[in-house]
Amino acid sequence: MTTYNIKEILDTLGCRCYGPAEGTVKDFLFDSRSIESPEGTIFCAITTDSSDGHSFIPQLYRRGVRMFMVEHLPEFHDSYADATFIVVGNVPDAVATLASAHRDRMTGSVVAITGSAGKTIVKELIYQALCRVTDKVARSPRSWNSRLGVPMSLLEAPADSRVTLIEAGIDTCGDMEHHAAVIRPTIGILTSITAEHDSGFACREAKVREKLKLFHDASTIIYDANDINVDRLVRE
């Protein structure tokens, strides 16, 4: 299990803290419904078009959570006397910064898997195979391959894993550069390229080029060379 102390997080983010600047983080929580154990959990309040994570702070506090990453202090925050509030400009960006710092400490191979289809099953098959030869293998939970899921996956991976398998998905141009900056894979796997999310790109070739940005600095790329167009773009 990877753990982080509050001071380490503050130093990495260069942000302000209200409440006790101490404690150990064992789990980053983004969905208030998914809390397993309040001890060691930090709730990251994400604001979307349909929901504001800050509104769940009172109920999570009542359930025992005492560490929060927020974009603004909650109303009557003084009433949470024993709670720690880390205030950042943008929570998803802050999480990505923490994940990137954690990536710097990782000593094993980081394998990034992207493509139109089959990412999760390929990741799981490789994971099951590697578990037969080592217990130091980490992987993205479920299909955590989004702009938030990728850094979450890295934060959960032990720094001393021999192999870490990270799934990355995109919907449009510009997304992959964000993933690449955080994952920085040593090995890349490109699964099949199909029509999924074609509408987010000018053409199929543009989609492949965007996905290949993930592997810019990888030492090895694994792909289907029988796909003539993909083979050409990988070689370029």
Side-chain angles (χ1 to χ4, degrees):
M1 176 184 294
T2 302
T3 61
Y4 310 83
N5 61 65
I6 293 295
K7 186 179 184 304
E8 178 184 18
I9 292 174
L10 294 175
D11 288 345
T12 300
L13 298 178
C15 58
R16 298 190 65 179
C17 175
Y18 295 83
E22 55 189 30
T24 300
V25 176
K26 300 177 182 178
D27 184 38
F28 289 82
L29 176 68
F30 299 87
D31 186 341
S32 61
R33 299 165 298 182
S34 302
I35 184 171
E36 294 182 1
S37 172
E39 184 178 358
T41 291
I42 183 168
F43 176 65
C44 301
I46 305 294
T47 300
T48 66
D49 292 338
S50 59
S51 178
D52 183 355
H54 297 78
S55 64
F56 299 103
I57 291 174
Q59 65 174 266
L60 288 168
Y61 182 83
R62 290 193 295 270
R63 295 174 65 183
V65 177
R66 292 296 182 266
M67 294 179 287
F68 302 88
M69 184 182 294
V70 298
E71 294 175 3
H72 58 80
L73 289 172
E75 190 176 10
F76 309 119
H77 71 273
D78 291 339
S79 62
Y80 305 104
D82 57 343
T84 297
F85 292 96
I86 297 174
V87 183
V88 299
N90 181 280
V91 169
D93 287 348
V95 172
T97 298
L98 291 175
S100 182
H102 181 60
R103 173 66 180 89
D104 291 337
R105 296 190 289 268
M106 299 177 79
T107 56
S109 296
V110 176
V111 181
I113 303 168
T114 192
S116 299
K119 295 183 291 295
T120 301
I121 189 63
V122 166
K123 177 197 68 184
E124 293 299 324
L125 287 171
I126 295 173
Y127 176 78
Q128 294 298 330
L130 291 175
C131 282
R132 296 185 177 187
V133 295
T134 179
D135 59 356
K136 290 185 175 294
V137 186
R139 73 195 191 285
S140 303
R142 300 184 291 280
S143 296
W144 287 12
N145 59 32
S146 66
R147 194 177 178 98
L148 185 59
V150 164
M152 284 169 56
S153 299
L154 273 170
L155 285 171
E156 290 203 355
D160 64 347
S161 296
R162 288 183 61 187
V163 181
T164 300
L165 303 162
I166 301 294
E167 192 178 327
I170 57 172
D171 297 325
T172 188
C173 284
D175 289 350
M176 194 56 88
E177 291 178 359
H178 173 84
H179 290 330
V182 176
I183 305 173
R184 286 171 272 152
T186 48
I187 298 172
I189 299 177
L190 183 68
T191 65
S192 60
I193 300 298
T194 58
E196 281 86 351
H197 306 299
D198 271 1
S199 60
F201 303 88
C203 60
R204 183 73 57 87
E205 180 172 314
K207 182 170 72 173
V208 176
R209 288 187 183 278
E210 181 71 15
K211 291 182 181 294
L212 291 178
K213 289 179 181 179
L214 181 59
F215 308 142
H216 185 271
D217 296 316
S219 60
T220 302
I221 303 175
I222 300 168
Y223 67 100
D224 178 12
N226 291 318
D227 187 323
I228 297 174
N229 291 323
V230 169
D231 184 54
R232 173 176 59 83
L233 294 172
V234 170
R235 293 178 183 280
E236 287 180 6

